[in-house]
Short mmCIF file of all heavy atoms in Angstrom, two decimals:
data_model
loop_
_atom_site.label_atom_id
_atom_site.label_comp_id
_atom_site.label_asym_id
_atom_site.label_seq_id
_atom_site.Cartn_x
_atom_site.Cartn_y
_atom_site.Cartn_z
N ILE A 20 -34.29 -77.60 1.53
CA ILE A 20 -34.27 -76.56 0.49
C ILE A 20 -33.66 -77.10 -0.80
O ILE A 20 -34.17 -76.84 -1.90
CB ILE A 20 -33.49 -75.32 1.00
CG1 ILE A 20 -34.30 -74.62 2.10
CG2 ILE A 20 -33.19 -74.35 -0.14
CD1 ILE A 20 -33.53 -73.57 2.86
N ARG A 21 -32.57 -77.87 -0.68
CA ARG A 21 -31.94 -78.44 -1.88
C ARG A 21 -32.91 -79.37 -2.61
O ARG A 21 -33.01 -79.34 -3.83
CB ARG A 21 -30.68 -79.20 -1.49
CG ARG A 21 -29.55 -78.34 -0.99
CD ARG A 21 -28.26 -79.13 -0.82
NE ARG A 21 -27.29 -78.38 -0.04
CZ ARG A 21 -26.95 -78.67 1.21
NH1 ARG A 21 -27.51 -79.72 1.82
NH2 ARG A 21 -26.07 -77.93 1.85
N GLU A 22 -33.61 -80.18 -1.85
CA GLU A 22 -34.57 -81.10 -2.47
C GLU A 22 -35.72 -80.32 -3.12
O GLU A 22 -36.16 -80.65 -4.24
CB GLU A 22 -35.11 -82.06 -1.42
CG GLU A 22 -36.16 -83.05 -1.94
CD GLU A 22 -35.65 -83.94 -3.06
OE1 GLU A 22 -34.41 -84.14 -3.16
OE2 GLU A 22 -36.49 -84.43 -3.84
N GLY A 23 -36.16 -79.26 -2.44
CA GLY A 23 -37.23 -78.44 -3.01
C GLY A 23 -36.79 -77.75 -4.29
O GLY A 23 -37.55 -77.66 -5.26
N LYS A 24 -35.55 -77.30 -4.31
CA LYS A 24 -35.04 -76.65 -5.52
C LYS A 24 -34.94 -77.66 -6.66
O LYS A 24 -35.26 -77.34 -7.82
CB LYS A 24 -33.68 -76.01 -5.24
CG LYS A 24 -33.12 -75.24 -6.44
CD LYS A 24 -31.76 -74.62 -6.12
CE LYS A 24 -31.21 -73.90 -7.34
NZ LYS A 24 -29.87 -73.36 -7.11
N ARG A 25 -34.47 -78.87 -6.35
CA ARG A 25 -34.36 -79.90 -7.39
C ARG A 25 -35.73 -80.20 -7.99
O ARG A 25 -35.88 -80.30 -9.22
CB ARG A 25 -33.76 -81.18 -6.80
CG ARG A 25 -33.46 -82.27 -7.84
CD ARG A 25 -33.09 -83.57 -7.17
NE ARG A 25 -34.18 -84.09 -6.34
CZ ARG A 25 -35.25 -84.71 -6.85
NH1 ARG A 25 -35.37 -84.87 -8.15
NH2 ARG A 25 -36.20 -85.15 -6.05
N GLU A 26 -36.73 -80.33 -7.16
CA GLU A 26 -38.08 -80.59 -7.65
C GLU A 26 -38.59 -79.42 -8.49
O GLU A 26 -39.23 -79.62 -9.53
CB GLU A 26 -39.02 -80.84 -6.47
CG GLU A 26 -38.74 -82.14 -5.73
CD GLU A 26 -39.65 -82.33 -4.53
OE1 GLU A 26 -40.49 -81.42 -4.29
OE2 GLU A 26 -39.52 -83.37 -3.85
N TRP A 27 -38.33 -78.20 -8.05
CA TRP A 27 -38.73 -77.01 -8.81
C TRP A 27 -38.08 -77.01 -10.20
O TRP A 27 -38.74 -76.72 -11.20
CB TRP A 27 -38.35 -75.76 -8.02
CG TRP A 27 -38.46 -74.48 -8.82
CD1 TRP A 27 -39.60 -73.80 -9.12
CD2 TRP A 27 -37.38 -73.73 -9.39
NE1 TRP A 27 -39.31 -72.67 -9.86
CE2 TRP A 27 -37.95 -72.61 -10.03
CE3 TRP A 27 -36.00 -73.90 -9.41
CZ2 TRP A 27 -37.17 -71.66 -10.70
CZ3 TRP A 27 -35.21 -72.97 -10.07
CH2 TRP A 27 -35.80 -71.86 -10.71
N GLU A 28 -36.78 -77.34 -10.24
CA GLU A 28 -36.07 -77.36 -11.51
C GLU A 28 -36.67 -78.39 -12.46
O GLU A 28 -36.80 -78.14 -13.67
CB GLU A 28 -34.58 -77.65 -11.28
CG GLU A 28 -33.83 -76.50 -10.64
CD GLU A 28 -32.41 -76.87 -10.26
OE1 GLU A 28 -32.12 -78.08 -10.08
OE2 GLU A 28 -31.58 -75.95 -10.12
N GLU A 29 -37.04 -79.54 -11.92
CA GLU A 29 -37.56 -80.61 -12.77
C GLU A 29 -39.02 -80.38 -13.18
O GLU A 29 -39.38 -80.59 -14.36
CB GLU A 29 -37.44 -81.96 -12.06
CG GLU A 29 -36.00 -82.42 -11.85
CD GLU A 29 -35.93 -83.73 -11.11
OE1 GLU A 29 -37.01 -84.24 -10.68
OE2 GLU A 29 -34.82 -84.25 -10.92
N GLU A 30 -39.84 -79.95 -12.24
CA GLU A 30 -41.28 -79.92 -12.46
C GLU A 30 -41.79 -78.57 -12.97
O GLU A 30 -42.75 -78.54 -13.76
CB GLU A 30 -42.02 -80.31 -11.18
CG GLU A 30 -41.68 -81.72 -10.69
CD GLU A 30 -42.28 -82.02 -9.33
OE1 GLU A 30 -43.11 -81.19 -8.86
OE2 GLU A 30 -41.91 -83.04 -8.73
N THR A 31 -41.19 -77.50 -12.53
CA THR A 31 -41.69 -76.16 -12.90
C THR A 31 -40.80 -75.47 -13.91
O THR A 31 -41.28 -74.92 -14.91
CB THR A 31 -41.82 -75.29 -11.63
OG1 THR A 31 -42.68 -75.95 -10.69
CG2 THR A 31 -42.39 -73.92 -11.97
N LEU A 32 -39.50 -75.48 -13.66
CA LEU A 32 -38.57 -74.74 -14.51
C LEU A 32 -38.36 -75.42 -15.86
O LEU A 32 -38.40 -74.76 -16.91
CB LEU A 32 -37.23 -74.56 -13.79
CG LEU A 32 -36.11 -73.90 -14.60
CD1 LEU A 32 -36.47 -72.46 -14.96
CD2 LEU A 32 -34.79 -73.93 -13.81
N ALA A 33 -38.10 -76.74 -15.83
CA ALA A 33 -37.71 -77.43 -17.07
C ALA A 33 -38.72 -77.27 -18.20
O ALA A 33 -38.32 -76.98 -19.35
CB ALA A 33 -37.46 -78.91 -16.78
N PRO A 34 -40.03 -77.41 -17.97
CA PRO A 34 -40.96 -77.22 -19.08
C PRO A 34 -40.91 -75.81 -19.67
O PRO A 34 -41.05 -75.64 -20.89
CB PRO A 34 -42.33 -77.50 -18.43
CG PRO A 34 -42.03 -78.36 -17.25
CD PRO A 34 -40.72 -77.88 -16.73
N THR A 35 -40.72 -74.81 -18.80
CA THR A 35 -40.63 -73.43 -19.29
C THR A 35 -39.38 -73.23 -20.12
O THR A 35 -39.41 -72.59 -21.18
CB THR A 35 -40.65 -72.45 -18.10
OG1 THR A 35 -41.84 -72.67 -17.33
CG2 THR A 35 -40.63 -71.01 -18.59
N LEU A 36 -38.25 -73.78 -19.65
CA LEU A 36 -37.01 -73.67 -20.42
C LEU A 36 -37.14 -74.37 -21.77
O LEU A 36 -36.67 -73.85 -22.80
CB LEU A 36 -35.84 -74.26 -19.63
CG LEU A 36 -35.36 -73.48 -18.41
CD1 LEU A 36 -34.24 -74.23 -17.72
CD2 LEU A 36 -34.90 -72.07 -18.79
N ASP A 37 -37.75 -75.54 -21.76
CA ASP A 37 -37.91 -76.26 -23.03
C ASP A 37 -38.74 -75.46 -24.02
O ASP A 37 -38.47 -75.48 -25.23
CB ASP A 37 -38.59 -77.62 -22.78
CG ASP A 37 -37.66 -78.59 -22.07
OD1 ASP A 37 -36.43 -78.35 -22.09
OD2 ASP A 37 -38.17 -79.57 -21.49
N ARG A 38 -39.72 -74.75 -23.53
CA ARG A 38 -40.63 -74.04 -24.43
C ARG A 38 -40.10 -72.67 -24.84
O ARG A 38 -40.21 -72.26 -26.00
CB ARG A 38 -41.99 -73.90 -23.75
CG ARG A 38 -43.05 -73.29 -24.66
CD ARG A 38 -44.39 -73.27 -23.97
NE ARG A 38 -45.41 -72.68 -24.85
CZ ARG A 38 -46.66 -72.43 -24.46
NH1 ARG A 38 -47.04 -72.72 -23.21
NH2 ARG A 38 -47.53 -71.89 -25.30
N PHE A 39 -39.53 -71.93 -23.88
CA PHE A 39 -39.16 -70.54 -24.14
C PHE A 39 -37.66 -70.26 -24.04
O PHE A 39 -37.18 -69.29 -24.62
CB PHE A 39 -39.90 -69.60 -23.17
CG PHE A 39 -41.39 -69.69 -23.27
CD1 PHE A 39 -42.12 -70.27 -22.24
CD2 PHE A 39 -42.06 -69.19 -24.36
CE1 PHE A 39 -43.50 -70.34 -22.31
CE2 PHE A 39 -43.45 -69.27 -24.44
CZ PHE A 39 -44.17 -69.84 -23.42
N GLY A 40 -36.93 -71.07 -23.29
CA GLY A 40 -35.52 -70.78 -23.06
C GLY A 40 -35.33 -69.52 -22.22
O GLY A 40 -36.27 -69.04 -21.56
N GLU A 41 -34.10 -68.99 -22.23
CA GLU A 41 -33.79 -67.76 -21.51
C GLU A 41 -33.12 -66.78 -22.47
O GLU A 41 -32.72 -67.14 -23.57
CB GLU A 41 -32.89 -68.05 -20.30
CG GLU A 41 -33.60 -68.82 -19.21
CD GLU A 41 -32.72 -69.06 -17.99
OE1 GLU A 41 -31.50 -69.33 -18.18
OE2 GLU A 41 -33.24 -69.01 -16.87
N ARG A 42 -32.97 -65.55 -22.04
CA ARG A 42 -32.42 -64.52 -22.92
C ARG A 42 -30.98 -64.80 -23.33
O ARG A 42 -30.56 -64.44 -24.43
CB ARG A 42 -32.48 -63.16 -22.22
CG ARG A 42 -33.89 -62.62 -22.08
CD ARG A 42 -33.90 -61.24 -21.44
NE ARG A 42 -33.51 -61.26 -20.03
CZ ARG A 42 -32.44 -60.67 -19.52
NH1 ARG A 42 -31.60 -60.02 -20.32
NH2 ARG A 42 -32.17 -60.73 -18.23
N ARG A 43 -30.20 -65.42 -22.44
CA ARG A 43 -28.80 -65.72 -22.75
C ARG A 43 -28.46 -67.09 -22.18
O ARG A 43 -29.12 -67.58 -21.26
CB ARG A 43 -27.86 -64.67 -22.13
CG ARG A 43 -27.97 -63.30 -22.75
CD ARG A 43 -26.76 -62.44 -22.37
NE ARG A 43 -26.70 -62.15 -20.95
CZ ARG A 43 -27.29 -61.09 -20.37
NH1 ARG A 43 -28.01 -60.26 -21.11
NH2 ARG A 43 -27.17 -60.87 -19.08
N ASP A 44 -27.40 -67.67 -22.70
CA ASP A 44 -26.94 -68.96 -22.17
C ASP A 44 -26.38 -68.81 -20.77
O ASP A 44 -26.57 -69.68 -19.91
CB ASP A 44 -25.89 -69.57 -23.10
CG ASP A 44 -26.47 -69.99 -24.44
OD1 ASP A 44 -27.69 -70.23 -24.50
OD2 ASP A 44 -25.70 -70.06 -25.41
N THR A 45 -25.64 -67.72 -20.55
CA THR A 45 -25.06 -67.47 -19.23
C THR A 45 -25.26 -66.00 -18.87
O THR A 45 -25.35 -65.14 -19.76
CB THR A 45 -23.55 -67.79 -19.18
OG1 THR A 45 -22.87 -66.96 -20.15
CG2 THR A 45 -23.29 -69.25 -19.48
N PHE A 46 -25.31 -65.73 -17.59
CA PHE A 46 -25.43 -64.38 -17.09
C PHE A 46 -24.24 -64.12 -16.17
O PHE A 46 -23.79 -65.02 -15.45
CB PHE A 46 -26.74 -64.18 -16.32
CG PHE A 46 -27.97 -64.19 -17.20
CD1 PHE A 46 -28.47 -65.38 -17.70
CD2 PHE A 46 -28.61 -63.00 -17.51
CE1 PHE A 46 -29.60 -65.39 -18.49
CE2 PHE A 46 -29.75 -63.00 -18.31
CZ PHE A 46 -30.25 -64.20 -18.81
N ALA A 47 -23.75 -62.88 -16.17
CA ALA A 47 -22.62 -62.53 -15.32
C ALA A 47 -22.83 -61.11 -14.79
O ALA A 47 -23.64 -60.34 -15.33
CB ALA A 47 -21.31 -62.62 -16.08
N THR A 48 -22.10 -60.77 -13.76
CA THR A 48 -22.14 -59.41 -13.23
C THR A 48 -21.58 -58.46 -14.28
O THR A 48 -21.01 -58.87 -15.29
CB THR A 48 -21.34 -59.30 -11.93
OG1 THR A 48 -20.02 -59.80 -12.15
CG2 THR A 48 -22.00 -60.10 -10.82
N ASP A 49 -21.73 -57.18 -14.02
CA ASP A 49 -21.38 -56.16 -15.01
C ASP A 49 -19.94 -56.30 -15.51
O ASP A 49 -19.67 -56.12 -16.69
CB ASP A 49 -21.58 -54.77 -14.41
CG ASP A 49 -21.29 -53.66 -15.40
OD1 ASP A 49 -21.92 -53.64 -16.46
OD2 ASP A 49 -20.43 -52.81 -15.11
N THR A 50 -19.03 -56.62 -14.62
CA THR A 50 -17.63 -56.75 -15.01
C THR A 50 -17.25 -58.18 -15.34
O THR A 50 -16.08 -58.47 -15.59
CB THR A 50 -16.72 -56.21 -13.89
OG1 THR A 50 -17.09 -56.82 -12.65
CG2 THR A 50 -16.86 -54.71 -13.75
N GLY A 51 -18.22 -59.07 -15.34
CA GLY A 51 -17.96 -60.44 -15.76
C GLY A 51 -17.20 -61.28 -14.77
O GLY A 51 -16.81 -62.42 -15.07
N GLY A 52 -16.99 -60.77 -13.57
CA GLY A 52 -16.20 -61.51 -12.60
C GLY A 52 -16.93 -62.68 -11.98
O GLY A 52 -16.32 -63.69 -11.65
N GLN A 53 -18.24 -62.54 -11.80
CA GLN A 53 -19.01 -63.57 -11.13
C GLN A 53 -20.19 -63.99 -12.01
O GLN A 53 -20.91 -63.14 -12.53
CB GLN A 53 -19.54 -63.08 -9.77
CG GLN A 53 -18.49 -62.92 -8.70
CD GLN A 53 -17.70 -61.64 -8.87
OE1 GLN A 53 -18.24 -60.64 -9.30
NE2 GLN A 53 -16.43 -61.66 -8.54
N GLU A 54 -20.38 -65.29 -12.14
CA GLU A 54 -21.56 -65.79 -12.84
C GLU A 54 -22.79 -65.53 -11.97
O GLU A 54 -22.75 -65.71 -10.75
CB GLU A 54 -21.44 -67.29 -13.11
CG GLU A 54 -22.65 -67.86 -13.83
CD GLU A 54 -22.57 -69.36 -14.02
OE1 GLU A 54 -21.53 -69.95 -13.68
OE2 GLU A 54 -23.57 -69.95 -14.50
N VAL A 55 -23.86 -65.09 -12.58
CA VAL A 55 -25.11 -64.86 -11.87
C VAL A 55 -25.99 -66.08 -12.06
O VAL A 55 -26.41 -66.39 -13.18
CB VAL A 55 -25.83 -63.60 -12.39
CG1 VAL A 55 -27.16 -63.40 -11.65
CG2 VAL A 55 -24.95 -62.36 -12.21
N ARG A 56 -26.22 -66.78 -10.96
CA ARG A 56 -27.03 -67.99 -11.04
C ARG A 56 -28.51 -67.64 -11.19
O ARG A 56 -28.93 -66.53 -10.88
CB ARG A 56 -26.79 -68.85 -9.79
CG ARG A 56 -25.34 -69.36 -9.70
CD ARG A 56 -25.13 -70.30 -8.53
NE ARG A 56 -25.02 -69.60 -7.27
CZ ARG A 56 -23.93 -68.99 -6.81
NH1 ARG A 56 -22.83 -68.97 -7.56
NH2 ARG A 56 -23.91 -68.42 -5.63
N ARG A 57 -29.26 -68.61 -11.64
CA ARG A 57 -30.68 -68.41 -11.93
C ARG A 57 -31.45 -68.03 -10.67
O ARG A 57 -32.35 -67.19 -10.69
CB ARG A 57 -31.26 -69.69 -12.54
CG ARG A 57 -32.73 -69.62 -12.88
CD ARG A 57 -33.17 -70.90 -13.56
NE ARG A 57 -32.61 -71.01 -14.90
CZ ARG A 57 -31.74 -71.95 -15.28
NH1 ARG A 57 -31.33 -72.87 -14.41
NH2 ARG A 57 -31.28 -71.99 -16.52
N LEU A 58 -31.14 -68.67 -9.60
CA LEU A 58 -31.89 -68.48 -8.36
C LEU A 58 -30.95 -68.66 -7.18
O LEU A 58 -30.09 -69.54 -7.20
CB LEU A 58 -33.03 -69.50 -8.26
CG LEU A 58 -33.93 -69.40 -7.03
CD1 LEU A 58 -34.82 -68.17 -7.12
CD2 LEU A 58 -34.79 -70.67 -6.89
#
Side-chain angles (χ1 to χ4, degrees):
I20 290 168
R21 291 189 194 108
E22 178 60 23
K24 183 180 178 184
R25 186 189 62 77
E26 292 178 359
W27 168 77
E28 289 173 337
E29 292 178 356
E30 299 173 9
T31 303
L32 175 64
T35 303
L36 289 178
D37 289 342
R38 186 176 180 186
F39 300 109
E41 292 182 321
R42 289 183 290 117
R43 292 196 295 271
D44 292 337
T45 60
F46 289 76
T48 54
D49 182 58
T50 51
Q53 289 78 34
E54 180 184 355
V55 178
R56 296 184 283 280
R57 180 176 290 115
L58 181 72

